[in-house]
Amino acid sequence: PSSATTVGGRRMLRMRALWRDLEDLVVRPLRASYDADEELLGTSGEFRLRDTRVRRADFAVQNGRGQRLASTLYVPFASNGDEDSMEGSAGGKKISQVRDAAEEKIMDRNRDAHDEGLWAPWLADMEPGRGVVLYLHGNSGCRVDANEPAWYLLRAGLAVCCFDFGGCGSSEGDLVTLGLRETEDVQVIIKHLRERAKCGLVALWGRSMGAVTAVRYAGQDGSVSGLVLDSPYAHLPTLLTEVAVQSAPVLPRWAAKSAVNALRKGLVQRVDFDMADMDTVVAAGKCFVPAIFGHGTEDTLVPYTHSKRVYDAYQGDKRLLLFQGGHNDRRPRLFYKQCIFFLQKVLEGGLKNSEELFWENLGPRKVWHQEGRQQGEHTQHSSGADVRPTSASPILEDDALQGNDADDLGRKRHSNGAEEARQTERVGDQVHTGFSTGVCTIGNSEGSLGSFPSSFYESDEIYESSDAS
């Protein structure tokens, strides 16, 4: 062959390799790696989060594609009774450990050697029908990403289960489908929890890809009680087009759309995954489960307008909460309080109207601002787009977890890239007057926090600002 033919062939091979790398960015993203013993909350068995006694069980189940899904269940237990009163002493802990070990030996004798499913002696202590929050991580994430919300949820008395989707973290598999086949994993985990732990109502908390998965699954399973949807994308091909234009501003939008369409066809041929099916707006139109939407106004990967589109199409009771921060930033504490109030309500069971589900009356509360904003004003984030709050989308501003808080959450930087909270500047007192203004501006004085146990919002040097007046 001529030298020109050889050069052309090599160039073609390089182009094919480059194109395959682009496909891998969608269906084979960077995989999170972690040590479950070191980076999940607590330890396997029993541990404490401040004043909350928590039991943890690591387990694995197999999905319909034959992949092993690495999973963890956390259950908070009330500290009362004679046995619990001994927990503070070394003797009490030893008695508890000996008892658990003896029960586990008895259980293991009757257990299939190949069964890695949920299996712990303390499961017998769980009340039948207990509700659980199932956390669904984002793309390139893993179950460690549940540490931060789980910290809040467990201290509020809510059980939490988290797992790695197939192709992610410590689970088996090589491919992800950004919310399509991941719904099958959710179904398997929920079925297993109900069989082994006798769990009843289940609520889903999804972030990014996990939020899309939650919407798609809840539209198929009417038994889901509620959804927390953090930063879902509206339509995958549109999102990829936006990312392409943002990454290469000189690229015309029509060229970006053509490239994404070619990428779509390649993925259909290679892994039988059609990105055009990933339309969360359409899925939202078929979903009637109560939901809280949350999104950072500085998110440049999945702009908050995506959540707005999904929210507008959503058919169930709903609230949209906006807050400062990017796609992988830590969420404001006030967002977690909103979500916990909502989850406590939906996991109680029974019919509830919209006014009962959402925590409208926040009460006066101290707040940290990044900029001096007057009550009711709109703001502008780094993209230059105006954030004009409405009664449906208040902007939450609160002091997020900072500094040493990360040590309590198991790892300093989450696998989804969550950053330490930004340095913020405290400004003068402002008083909250309700969501009618659209902006949630909350003063420094103490006030009612709603139906949270006192241990959840107690003032301390880590989770409350020590210099507040």
Side-chain angles (χ1 to χ4, degrees), residues 428-451:
D429 292 357
Q430 293 181 329
V431 179
H432 174 65
T433 59
F435 279 171
S436 59
T437 63
V439 179
C440 181
T441 51
I442 306 173
N444 291 326
S445 58
E446 293 295 325
S448 171
L449 294 176
S451 57

Side-chain angles (χ1 to χ4, degrees), residues 219-277:
Q220 305 167 8
D221 184 354
S223 71
V224 173
S225 297
L227 304 177
V228 175
L229 306 171
D230 187 338
S231 311
Y233 64 80
H235 182 242
L236 185 55
T238 300
L239 175 63
L240 294 181
T241 301
E242 294 171 351
V243 170
V245 171
Q246 182 180 355
S247 302
V250 297
L251 185 68
R253 189 173 182 85
W254 64 264
K257 291 181 68 173
S258 297
V260 169
N261 189 49
L263 183 64
R264 169 187 162 247
K265 293 178 179 179
L267 289 174
V268 170
Q269 294 177 352
R270 178 182 167 189
V271 295
D272 193 26
F273 170 52
D274 190 346
M275 294 192 300
D277 293 335

Side-chain angles (χ1 to χ4, degrees), residues 27 43 47 82 93 98 112-113 146 149 158 162 168 197 235 238 274 291 328 338 356 391 398 401 411 428 440 458:
V27 296
T43 57
F47 65 96
D82 295 338
K93 290 182 179 179
V98 170
D112 188 331
L158 296 171
C162 52
C168 301
H235 182 242
T238 300
D274 190 346
N328 293 319
Q338 284 272 335
E356 295 176 289
S391 60
D398 199 355
L401 295 175
R411 65 187 303 182
C440 181
E458 63 187 358

Side-chain angles (χ1 to χ4, degrees), residues 212 232-236 278-282 302 305-307 309-310:
V212 173
Y233 64 80
H235 182 242
L236 185 55
M278 303 310 298
D279 192 328
T280 317
V281 173
V282 171
V302 182
T305 52
H306 280 253
S307 271
R309 289 177 57 197
V310 180

